[in-house]
Amino acid sequence: GAVVSQHPSRVICKSGTSVKIECRSLDFQATTMFWYRQFPKQSLMLMATSNEGSKATYEQGVEKDKFLINHASLTLSTLTVTSAHPEDSSFYICSARPTHGETQYFGPGTRLLVL
Amino acid sequence: AQSVTQLGSHVSVSEGALVLLRCNYSSSVPPYLFWYVQHPNKGLQLLLKYTSAATLVKGINGFEAEFKKSETSFHLTKPSAHMSDAAEYFCVVIYRGSQGNLIFGKGTKLSVKP
């Protein structure tokens, strides 16, 4: 139980294009999902908290117009990196928290490379 | 500021040896405590968690951790390391009364020598 998937697992795109990453909770409902970014050999950095049916809450320094988050259902949240640039290249990981509980379950991550 | 400290960014053990990864939190009120493991280019997998029940918590793959309030610690152990245990381990905390966001330790890379 408590499986979270991400799609795609890796993506290469040209600078200036937009990339959408999906995060799904496969066997539970998640009122809250989280998006993290991980730089090489570092811990995870929380980018934003996504709540179903409402606007996401972004951490300080994260551009909301750059990283668009949509949480349209209790099992799906999407992160769209708009007008991607090489500095956006990173490992993006989502997590989902069941409606009742405090544990976050993580997706397998998406490796983004912007050329 | 609330934080979580993992002593040792890199731990190396021989196969079959004891694994001990250290974690200390900074709060007088016991938080929720988690250990996650991350293999290269993978997401985080939950090993075990402490949520105020038994102080000795058993997790997957033979790992366990003991919550010690007097030491504000939640160290992760495994009696006998296996090659497949080589990975990055994160101690993670949710402080009670917070919004529920995870506070991550900086991680400890475990290497297992044959």
Side-chain angles (χ1 to χ4, degrees), chain B residues 30-109:
Chain B
Y32 299 112
L33 294 150
F34 308 81
W35 275 99
Y36 287 88
V37 60
Q38 184 180 30
H39 289 90
N41 297 308
K42 301 291 184 183
L44 274 67
Q45 181 184 20
L46 180 66
L47 281 178
L48 48 80
K49 64 180 179 180
Y50 168 78
T51 57
S52 78
T55 56
L56 181 62
V57 181
K58 293 186 182 299
I60 61 172
N61 301 336
F63 284 94
E64 61 182 39
E66 185 173 8
F67 170 72
K68 291 187 177 180
K69 184 178 178 181
S70 60
E71 299 177 6
T72 61
S73 68
F74 190 58
H75 301 331
L76 181 71
T77 60
K78 181 173 180 178
S80 176
H82 192 272
M83 295 298 290
S84 60
D85 294 328
E88 188 88 19
Y89 291 80
F90 292 97
C91 181
V92 181
V93 173
I94 297 177
Y95 285 102
R96 298 176 193 264
S98 69
Q99 294 180 352
N101 287 357
L102 304 185
I103 308 296
F104 284 84
K106 292 189 175 182
T108 298
K109 183 177 180 179

Side-chain angles (χ1 to χ4, degrees), chain A residues 23-43:
Chain A
C23 177
R24 293 180 185 272
S25 56
L26 299 185
D27 50 4
F28 65 96
Q29 292 187 330
T31 308
T32 307
M33 289 184 170
F34 303 82
W35 287 97
Y36 296 86
R37 183 172 178 176
Q38 186 178 31
F39 293 99
K41 300 187 179 183
Q42 292 189 28
S43 188

Side-chain angles (χ1 to χ4, degrees), chain A residues 73-94:
Chain A
S73 77
L74 287 172
T75 59
L76 173 65
S77 176
T78 60
L79 169 68
T80 301
V81 183
T82 61
S83 186
H85 288 95
E87 57 265 30
D88 298 325
S89 299
S90 193
F91 194 50
Y92 293 88
I93 304 177
C94 74

